Amino acid sequence: MGRQPCCDKVGLKKGPWTAEEDKKLINFILTNGQCCWRAVPKLAGLLRCGKSCRLRWTNYLRPDLKRGLLSEDEEKMVIDLHAQLGNRWSKIASHLPGRTDNEIKNHWNTHIKKKLKKMGIDPLTHKPLPAITDQPQEQPQLDGFSELIDQKKEIETSLQSSSITEAKEEDQKSNGVPFDSSMEVNYGFCTDEVPLIEAHEILIDPYAPSLSTSSSSSSSSSSSYYRTGSSNILEDLKLPNFDWHGDYTTNSMDFWDDDFSGFDFLINDDSDRNPIMAVDQESWKIELL
DNA sequence: AAACGAATCAACCGCCATGCA
DNA sequence: TTGCATGGCGGTTGATTCGTT
């Protein structure tokens, strides 16, 4: 006998997630960590397939995710990595902390592809398109991408070297260790290696006396705190007070454009809708607002 | 203001590799 | 060894937003 099916798909909800569903999933994972995804919907009280829960967490709710458009550097890195790895989005994403394979894939299809085509570069082969090659002087100047053609040439050159192939083979042999020919783009960080967010690891009671004020160089005038090992945090924090400041009818996350854009999630108190804490995933700094 | 098409991106689908029973 | 569930991945869809006329 094999395992039980992931879900029977009968009576399961599909489509966009609601704020309530998000809260349930966040609450469950922060409380219990990531366990068997098949069990998550039942234990979290969700009428969703475990697969759907995993995707929602991985691509949208994970607190270590970055938000907003890819930066110019990130785009360049994606192009570089795509030239080396092709459509291996998860591998590419592993080189960009806080970015998901889905996000990169979408960005590639909606933005980068067009930019490369405008520059006369075939997004599939990363080689010059014939029509543009004949008329290189007519290539439009694109913001921040004028050096990409040179970079692309470098990529082509590097692709011809055996070190790439060897590195790819080594990557495969090493069973999951991201391939990187030069370590220039390997930051030693893989999204798959993001530490699971255990509640006792990252959440704090801002009013708990055990907190230590950090000596962070943050420009904010408010006090900054680092995570502590408090054991009764969830009790103190009341997870339903999480507020992702998103418009759940549109799935947009408008608040990422405001002053809190540098943080990865915010926590509210009961009294109003203003966030009282923000968590920065890079430093794991928790800041009172 | 309305209609339409284009752009965006969250979510789903189907396949595959792996591991369990 | 075999059959099946699980987790992960890449491709695709479709609802929503945005921009233009």
Side-chain angles (χ1 to χ4, degrees), chain A residues 48-250:
Chain A
R48 294 275 182 173
C49 173
K51 199 171 183 175
S52 179
C53 293
R54 182 176 62 81
L55 277 173
R56 182 64 178 172
W57 175 258
T58 303
N59 289 335
Y60 200 79
L61 297 177
R62 238 172 49 193
D64 56 284
L65 291 178
K66 286 182 183 175
R67 290 288 167 188
L69 289 174
L70 271 69
S71 68
E72 188 177 322
D73 286 342
E74 284 175 318
E75 280 195 354
K76 287 176 182 175
M77 192 181 297
V78 168
I79 293 167
D80 189 0
L81 289 166
H82 187 271
Q84 300 172 14
L85 302 170
N87 291 358
R88 296 165 70 187
W89 304 114
S90 63
K91 283 282 184 186
I92 294 172
S94 71
H95 291 267
L96 290 110
R99 300 294 187 181
T100 69
D101 54 352
N102 204 40
E103 187 179 15
I104 291 171
K105 180 172 58 182
N106 280 334
H107 193 78
W108 177 270
N109 287 327
T110 58
H111 293 97
I112 300 177
K113 250 182 167 178
K114 293 174 188 172
K115 287 183 178 177
L116 288 178
K117 284 179 179 176
K118 282 184 180 179
M119 294 165 59
I121 300 172
D122 187 339
L124 287 177
T125 64
H126 292 260
K127 292 179 179 177
L129 290 167
I132 302 297
T133 306
D134 295 337
Q135 300 171 338
Q137 67 279 14
E138 294 182 5
Q139 291 179 8
Q141 292 296 317
L142 298 173
D143 294 340
F145 277 79
S146 57
E147 58 199 277
L148 272 178
I149 291 180
D150 289 339
Q151 187 183 34
K152 183 196 69 59
K153 289 176 182 174
E154 291 175 12
I155 292 167
E156 288 175 6
T157 302
S158 65
L159 277 173
Q160 293 172 357
S161 68
S162 59
S163 63
I164 295 293
T165 305
E166 291 168 1
K168 284 184 177 177
E169 290 171 356
E170 183 64 28
D171 176 28
Q172 293 170 347
K173 287 178 185 175
S174 61
N175 192 25
V177 176
F179 151 75
D180 182 41
S181 61
S182 63
M183 298 302 288
E184 288 177 351
V185 291
N186 187 349
Y187 299 122
F189 186 102
C190 172
T191 51
D192 293 340
E193 298 166 359
V194 170
L196 300 186
I197 311 304
E198 300 291 350
H200 66 276
E201 292 178 329
I202 68 164
L203 298 177
I204 61 169
D205 174 1
Y207 305 107
S210 62
L211 292 175
S212 59
T213 304
S214 81
S215 57
S216 164
S217 59
S218 167
S219 59
S220 168
S221 58
S222 59
S223 299
S224 298
Y225 297 92
Y226 288 104
R227 55 180 160 154
T228 72
S230 173
S231 60
N232 59 346
I233 291 160
L234 287 173
E235 195 66 30
D236 293 332
L237 206 62
K238 307 295 183 191
L239 275 171
N241 296 340
F242 268 83
D243 189 348
W244 298 84
H245 288 239
D247 177 359
Y248 286 92
T249 61
T250 63

Side-chain angles (χ1 to χ4, degrees), chain A residues 1-5 38:
Chain A
M1 278 294 289
R3 294 178 178 173
Q4 294 177 343
R38 177 177 164 268

